[in-house]
Amino acid sequence: MRYISAEEMGAIDANCAYLGISTLQLMENAGAALAGEIRKLGGNRIAIIAGRGNNGGDAFVAARHLDDLDVTVFLVGRARDITTEEARRNWDVLRRLEFDLREIADVSEIDLSGYDLVVDALFGTGVRGPIKGLEGDVIDLINACGKRIVSVDVPSGMGTGKEVSPDITITFHRPKIGMKGDFRVVGIGIPGMAEFLVGPGDLKLLGRRGPESHKGDSGRILVIGGGPYTGAPALSAMAALRAGADIVTVAAPRSVADTISSFSPNMIVRPLTSDRLCMADLEILKGLIPRHDVVVIGMGLGRDEETLKAVSQILPLCDRVVIDADALQPDMPLKGIVTPHAGEFRRISGLDLPKGRERIEVVRRFARERGLVVLLKGRMDIITDGETVRGNTTGNPGMTVGGTGDVLAGITGAFYARADAMRAAAAAAFVNGRAGDLVYRERDFGMVATDLIDKIPEAMMV
């Protein structure tokens, strides 16, 4: 049984909404399932202690499904302060149906002595401690009531130092990390594909800039590429900047460094020694790599023998690395995130890619055996670390134009500076394809890679 974090559950909820499964639908399903479990526990008089968020909203729905029992809902706080539209709508339904609803301003207003069962719906997974004041007093009251206690989704205050100690927790969809004691998992209508497909919820897992952020906190990216080709590393660098990286440096052969620099004054360009990446560049790169959080390598390098030898010496120097394009070669010491298309995957693995679900298994097995995160580009991107597998269906036929893979590599590098490899690759696949879809709405022919770069910020706001 896989446990998930509060953040992961929030991402699943957001992806459900993106797929058309609304929060209101999930709240209805959760409340109905909760009511069914409460009935199994027995008792006629039910006290629901509800907070002002969606955890309380789930309990409001449960109360409606238990209308043949004697149910009292104690709302901790005022109804005008209910924080979500979905919870407010379900509170209003109870009010119109004349349920026994009580708004609580002081813990002394709650008397649990006459009830058979107490339902703890004060806080869900989003609460952060410490819990004080009225809510803290209510948690103490629940724990001291001497009644059977049922917590909704998680015990209120879990992990904060002051939490409810229930007899049982009814948790939704999957158990949550940090849960202790007896619990039951109930389904709320989240289909497996809502967890498999990447969506905007995955962007939430990357985190955001805080008010105390400083230059570089959101990522310093080093792009190593260019030589035979000029535009590829520039596209990766500009995409990384648009995806939120604070600082992006391009280390490119001397012959193309000035041209790459002319693409944007926002990039730092460090010329290397020759017209191609070579062994003589290692000393320069040994100084640059430790000053960056992520290395993105391969775009436009070509396949010169000495260039590939240099790449094989560079990769072991990298902590976090995204490997793309010409750096994807047999016998290369691959690590971090690799972003092949089908032909490149065949080149590095020696494996043919079947169709259907068998393709997923081939990629997953390769990722596990090599200790990699693989982002296989295709009609449906496959992202896997060898255990978890995700799919991405954003993108369109217009993205067959050259350079879109370079853009993806840059986005992946920017996200990798803020999250682990699996989360970074999954979110990058979604954003790259979404940016392409935004362009495709405007024109199906004439799309170019720089169009995607311009759309990255909008794609991240889905």
Side-chain angles (χ1 to χ4, degrees):
M1 185 180 297
R2 184 169 77 89
Y3 286 67
I4 62 174
S5 66
E7 292 77 15
E8 288 175 302
M9 192 65 224
I12 292 169
D13 287 343
N15 288 347
C16 282
Y18 178 71
L19 293 168
I21 306 169
S22 71
T23 302
L24 194 63
Q25 286 175 279
L26 295 179
M27 184 175 288
E28 180 65 29
N29 294 347
L34 173 62
E37 294 300 320
I38 290 172
R39 285 189 186 279
K40 293 177 185 177
L41 295 171
N44 185 62
R45 297 203 66 201
I46 312 296
I48 294 176
I49 313 295
R52 300 183 299 278
N54 279 348
N55 196 247
D58 296 335
F60 300 157
V61 174
R64 173 163 47 83
H65 283 271
L66 296 169
D67 69 336
D68 57 315
L69 302 180
D70 187 354
V71 178
T72 302
V73 179
F74 297 95
L75 176 66
V76 180
R78 298 304 184 199
R80 64 174 179 267
D81 297 323
I82 291 174
T83 58
T84 73
E85 177 61 27
E86 294 81 9
R88 184 177 299 108
R89 286 180 63 175
N90 280 296
W91 171 267
D92 287 342
V93 169
L94 297 182
R95 179 177 52 80
R96 295 187 190 102
L97 294 174
E98 298 186 347
F99 272 71
D100 184 2
L101 306 178
R102 307 181 192 183
E103 299 176 52
I104 303 302
D106 188 271
V107 70
S108 62
E109 298 171 8
I110 304 176
D111 180 3
L112 300 178
S113 60
Y115 295 94
D116 304 314
L117 191 69
V118 174
V119 178
D120 155 41
L122 185 58
F123 292 123
T125 57
V127 68
R128 298 294 181 269
I131 298 174
K132 301 177 180 178
L134 175 58
E135 286 81 2
D137 292 341
V138 170
I139 288 176
D140 291 337
L141 176 69
I142 294 172
N143 286 335
C145 71
K147 308 294 181 178
R148 285 185 298 165
I149 301 168
V150 179
S151 285
V152 177
D153 200 26
V154 297
S156 289
M158 184 180 74
T160 67
K162 181 183 283 289
E163 61 187 68
V164 171
S165 299
D167 295 281
I168 189 170
T169 300
I170 308 302
T171 193
F172 304 131
H173 185 59
R174 292 190 183 277
K176 312 307 184 295
I177 294 171
M179 292 181 64
K180 298 175 290 186
D182 191 14
F183 63 84
R184 295 179 191 169
V185 180
V186 296
I188 57 172
I190 296 176
M193 284 297 285
E195 281 194 89
F196 174 71
L197 292 176
V198 182
D202 291 272
L203 293 172
K204 293 185 175 184
L205 299 177
L206 301 178
R208 291 187 172 273
R209 283 186 171 92
E212 303 300 322
S213 294
H214 297 283
K215 183 168 67 175
D217 288 353
S218 292
R220 298 172 183 263
I221 313 301
L222 175 62
V223 175
I224 303 174
Y229 304 96
T230 305
L235 291 170
S236 295
M238 291 191 294
L241 285 166
R242 286 292 191 181
D246 282 347
I247 296 172
V248 177
T249 303
V250 181
R254 183 177 57 202
S255 57
V256 296
D258 286 345
T259 303
I260 292 172
S261 182
S262 70
F263 279 93
S264 172
N266 298 296
M267 299 183 295
I268 301 167
V269 179
R270 180 65 187 269
L272 299 176
T273 63
S274 183
D275 61 349
R276 293 175 185 267
L277 180 69
C278 61
M279 294 297 291
D281 297 323
L282 287 178
E283 287 306 311
I284 296 173
L285 294 172
K286 285 178 180 178
L288 285 174
I289 289 170
R291 300 204 298 267
H292 293 80
D293 301 305
V294 177
V295 174
V296 182
I297 188 170
M299 301 69 57
L301 284 176
R303 302 182 193 176
D304 180 82
E305 184 177 347
E306 186 177 7
T307 294
L308 297 183
K309 183 179 179 182
V311 172
S312 71
Q313 299 297 306
I314 291 166
L315 292 179
L317 304 175
C318 303
D319 182 15
R320 294 190 168 204
V321 61
V322 179
I323 308 171
D324 188 40
D326 294 325
L328 293 169
Q329 299 296 333
D331 303 320
M332 195 67 74
L334 301 176
K335 61 193 300 188
I337 303 172
V338 297
T339 57
H341 55 58
E344 291 165 338
F345 181 83
R346 191 175 299 111
R347 190 167 74 209
I348 61 175
S349 68
L351 301 170
D352 289 325
L353 283 169
K355 294 182 179 179
R357 296 193 64 84
E358 292 181 9
R359 170 177 289 229
I360 293 175
E361 179 55 28
V362 167
V363 179
R364 187 190 65 80
R365 186 169 59 248
F366 174 75
R368 185 184 65 233
E369 291 173 353
R370 296 291 295 270
L372 299 169
V373 167
V374 178
L375 196 176
L376 177 68
K377 296 174 284 194
R379 183 178 180 185
M380 182 180 74
D381 304 320
I382 298 171
I383 309 100
T384 179
D385 59 1
E387 298 296 332
T388 302
V389 181
R390 304 292 302 281
N392 175 63
T393 56
T394 61
N396 56 78
M399 294 176 68
T400 56
V401 65
T404 58
D406 303 315
V407 172
L408 173 60
I411 298 170
T412 306
F415 290 173
Y416 198 9
R418 298 161 53 190
D420 65 43
M422 184 65 189
R423 287 183 176 182
F430 174 79
V431 168
N432 187 62
R434 178 62 178 159
D437 290 342
L438 291 171
V439 177
Y440 201 61
R441 289 178 182 177
E442 301 171 1
R443 55 187 179 279
D444 53 354
F445 287 95
M447 179 189 300
V448 293
T450 50
D451 293 335
L452 270 68
I453 293 171
D454 291 339
K455 294 292 187 179
I456 288 171
E458 185 178 351
M460 292 174 64
M461 295 176 64
V462 172

